[in-house]
Amino acid sequence: MVSQINLDDARLLAPDGTALQAETLLVGTNLHAARARTQGRLNLTGSRIPGRLNLAHAVLENPGGIALRASSCTVGEVWLPACEDVRGTVNLRRSQFDLLNMRAGTWRDPLRLDGLTYRTLGPHLPAEERLAALETGEPGYLPYPYEQLAAAYRTAGDEEAARTVMLAKLRRHRRTLPRHTRLWGLLQDATVGYGFRPLRAAGWLAALLLTGAIAFALQPPRPLKQGEAPDFNAVFYTIDLMLPIIGFGQEQAFAPSGWHQWLSYLLIVTGWVLATTTAAGVSRSLRRQ
């Protein structure tokens, strides 16, 4: 084991080969390689670096191959170069970092992040900027990178960003499902954002309530029993149609006709759908808690 390694401004050139073979490296404190330039694979698999692995402003080039392999590593702080300074795959699978400092951006080559655990992610950026890196990562659907990113935002106290990440995870999952099974997911997304956007349901309900109240106020439905029906109220009649668990006695007392009847069917079906998707979203939120 060495106490510290300094490769700042180094040139490690092995095109189509291994520029640095440091598998299972043990370092007492830090490995500095700021502004270094490598051509070929930089292999740090299984390394133990309790201090800092500093690759800030380094240029890593291995087009079509692995530019940096730092899987199964345990490192205190990791400072990665910007995405525009890397040509090749970056593999950080199953590693453990206390701090991962990585600027956001769209990586031209894949980021392998499945199983990567980090406590803090810097710098603090909006979730939308971080999600681009996950979209260019592993093929298919791997939930862990999204869950780890959401956990980092929760650690930083940014619950809104964590919800945005988890919503992106569910949308990524939906894209991998057979086409005929995506409809329910699209419906939950549009109405309540899979439970992460519950106010959407309130917006839909308010719009439907306004539509129904205006339509039935302009042309009230006929009473089923003349002289026995309560005074008609367009707002509560619409609520009766939309919300199956609430009853104000209006729906049973009046019968719409013509296109108002089709509107009432639409309100009933939409109300059931919104109630079901909202319940599913709330249930999912409770399971996450």
Side-chain angles (χ1 to χ4, degrees):
M1 182 178 70
V2 295
S3 61
Q4 182 169 287
I5 297 177
N6 191 341
L7 296 174
D8 287 347
D9 302 300
R11 297 294 183 266
L12 306 172
L13 309 178
D16 302 319
T18 301
L20 176 64
Q21 177 66 29
E23 195 167 348
T24 67
L25 176 69
L26 297 178
V27 180
T29 53
N30 306 315
L31 192 162
H32 294 291
R35 302 173 303 279
R37 179 162 191 162
T38 66
Q39 290 182 359
R41 182 170 58 252
L42 179 60
N43 188 8
L44 298 173
T45 302
S47 295
R48 301 291 183 268
I49 305 172
R52 176 180 294 183
L53 170 60
N54 187 5
L55 294 168
H57 307 294
V59 178
L60 311 180
E61 297 180 338
N62 193 17
I66 297 176
L68 171 63
R69 184 173 183 178
S71 57
S72 303
C73 293
T74 301
V75 186
E77 297 182 10
V78 176
W79 293 65
L80 287 179
C83 55
E84 61 267 19
D85 296 327
V86 179
R87 295 185 63 193
T89 299
V90 174
N91 185 349
L92 305 177
R93 289 173 173 167
R94 300 177 302 280
S95 290
Q96 297 182 19
F97 306 149
D98 287 335
L99 166 67
L100 175 59
N101 191 293
M102 181 176 70
R103 286 189 291 171
T106 302
W107 293 67
R108 61 168 68 90
D109 294 294
L111 276 173
R112 306 298 190 197
L113 304 176
D114 192 37
L116 170 65
T117 301
Y118 48 87
R119 186 174 58 85
T120 306
L121 179 65
H124 187 80
L125 298 169
E128 292 79 8
E129 296 184 29
R130 292 291 185 191
L131 287 170
L134 300 188
E135 293 298 321
T136 58
E138 307 278 357
Y141 171 64
L142 292 174
Y144 187 83
Y146 290 89
E147 293 167 359
Q148 176 59 63
L149 179 58
Y153 275 117
R154 291 192 187 98
T155 299
D158 194 341
E159 289 293 335
E160 177 60 28
R163 288 192 291 269
T164 299
V165 173
M166 296 302 289
L167 178 57
K169 182 192 83 164
L170 291 170
R171 288 171 174 168
R172 176 76 175 268
H173 182 225
R174 188 178 69 220
R175 294 201 299 268
T176 66
L177 298 174
R179 184 175 299 178
H180 65 277
T181 63
R182 298 177 193 171
L183 182 60
W184 179 241
L186 285 168
L187 188 60
Q188 291 191 75
D189 193 357
T191 53
V192 293
Y194 285 104
F196 294 102
R197 300 289 185 265
L199 290 180
R200 285 186 186 177
W204 282 104
L205 288 171
L208 291 170
L209 176 61
L210 180 63
T211 301
I214 292 175
F216 292 123
L218 293 175
Q219 185 179 334
R222 61 180 177 81
L224 289 175
K225 294 183 179 181
Q226 197 69 34
E228 297 182 12
D231 293 337
F232 179 74
N233 186 297
V235 173
F236 288 101
Y237 180 72
T238 305
I239 294 175
D240 256 359
L241 293 173
M242 289 194 323
L243 301 180
I245 60 174
I246 297 177
F248 292 103
Q250 294 279 316
E251 182 183 1
Q252 292 78 16
F254 297 91
S257 59
W259 73 270
H260 282 76
Q261 186 174 11
W262 291 104
L263 175 61
S264 68
Y265 294 158
L266 175 64
L267 292 173
I268 292 171
V269 172
T270 306
W272 273 103
V273 169
L274 284 173
T276 304
T277 53
T278 301
V282 171
S283 176
R284 184 180 292 110
S285 298
L286 290 175
R287 287 198 301 269
R288 286 194 301 269
Q289 297 299 325

